[in-house]
Amino acid sequence: MKKIMSVITAFALIGCVFVSCSAKKETKKAEGVEAVEQTGASYETALKECFNALFSANGGKVFFSYMYPNNVIEKMKEDGSYDVAVNNYNEQQANRPDLTDGVYEFGKIISSEPLIEKQETAVKDYMLSLCTEYFPDMKADEFVINEGYQVDYSYFENGTEKGPDTVLVINIGDEGWKIITG
């Protein structure tokens, strides 16, 4: 459980990308495929697609589709913050030194374990925390977990195998896959 709470806490740090105050420096633009929507039918495909979005200069839309509940994305679109957040994410990606100086490729799934009840509760609470700004009366039990896995995977950085990294990959209601990274 400690590991999963660390993963969930670490994901919160991703939000810091959007409020970074560091000075921008000139770097070459990150290369990558333009990702435009979540298409992962299986948790393996979803994880690979999300990984590619994390290491793509234009992966903001995919990133948000895997990281946030659909109802939050719709509210963000309504209030105009979605496009701003996607553009900020894409700009940050294009200027990340690790992306501009490296090549990242998904490796393989090392292990996959179904979520236990405590993890499912933590996932529901976490998803609820993403919704409270727009849906203050929402309850954690409104998130129905169809499938969920704790997945360890490897990846390659400049041809050298790295990892394992651990994520939670969850299929929620009719929203598709959501991924909590760490």
Side-chain angles (χ1 to χ4, degrees):
M1 184 65 186
K2 275 185 178 178
K3 189 174 185 179
I4 294 307
M5 292 310 292
S6 311
V7 169
I8 290 173
T9 301
F11 176 71
L13 295 175
I14 290 174
C16 294
V17 168
F18 301 112
V19 294
S20 174
C21 297
S22 62
K24 291 186 178 181
K25 61 181 182 180
E26 288 298 315
T27 60
K28 66 179 185 173
K29 297 293 179 194
E31 298 297 321
V33 297
E34 182 169 352
V36 293
E37 64 182 88
Q38 184 185 129
T39 60
S42 67
Y43 80 89
E44 297 95 337
T45 303
L47 178 55
K48 289 175 188 176
E49 184 176 45
C50 185
F51 178 89
N52 289 336
L54 288 170
F55 291 98
S56 171
N58 296 308
K61 288 181 180 180
V62 171
F63 171 82
F64 281 99
S65 75
Y66 279 114
M67 300 294 172
Y68 289 90
N70 294 351
N71 59 353
V72 171
I73 291 172
E74 288 307 313
K75 287 292 188 182
M76 290 175 73
K77 286 178 179 178
E78 288 174 16
D79 73 13
S81 63
Y82 178 76
D83 288 335
V84 171
V86 168
N87 289 335
N88 286 342
Y89 177 87
N90 288 342
E91 285 178 20
Q92 289 288 335
Q93 292 298 92
N95 292 307
R96 276 179 50 185
D98 60 325
L99 288 181
T100 57
D101 296 339
V103 175
Y104 294 83
E105 296 177 81
F106 187 86
K108 64 182 177 184
I109 293 176
I110 298 168
S111 66
S112 173
E113 297 293 328
L115 297 182
I116 61 173
E117 187 175 332
K118 285 182 180 181
Q119 290 171 313
E120 287 187 5
T121 300
V123 164
K124 289 178 179 185
D125 289 342
Y126 175 74
M127 297 305 277
L128 178 63
S129 74
L130 296 175
C131 294
T132 55
E133 178 180 348
Y134 294 105
F135 304 98
D137 297 328
M138 191 171 201
K139 305 289 183 232
D141 289 337
E142 293 180 48
F143 292 99
V144 176
I145 298 176
N146 301 323
E147 289 180 75
Y149 304 95
Q150 177 178 313
V151 180
D152 292 326
Y153 70 94
S154 65
Y155 64 95
F156 292 89
E157 177 184 2
N158 297 323
T160 302
E161 189 169 11
K162 300 286 185 173
D165 272 358
T166 302
V167 295
L168 299 180
V169 184
I170 305 99
N171 187 295
I172 296 180
D174 61 353
E175 297 196 23
W177 293 100
K178 302 298 178 187
I179 298 176
I180 301 173
T181 63

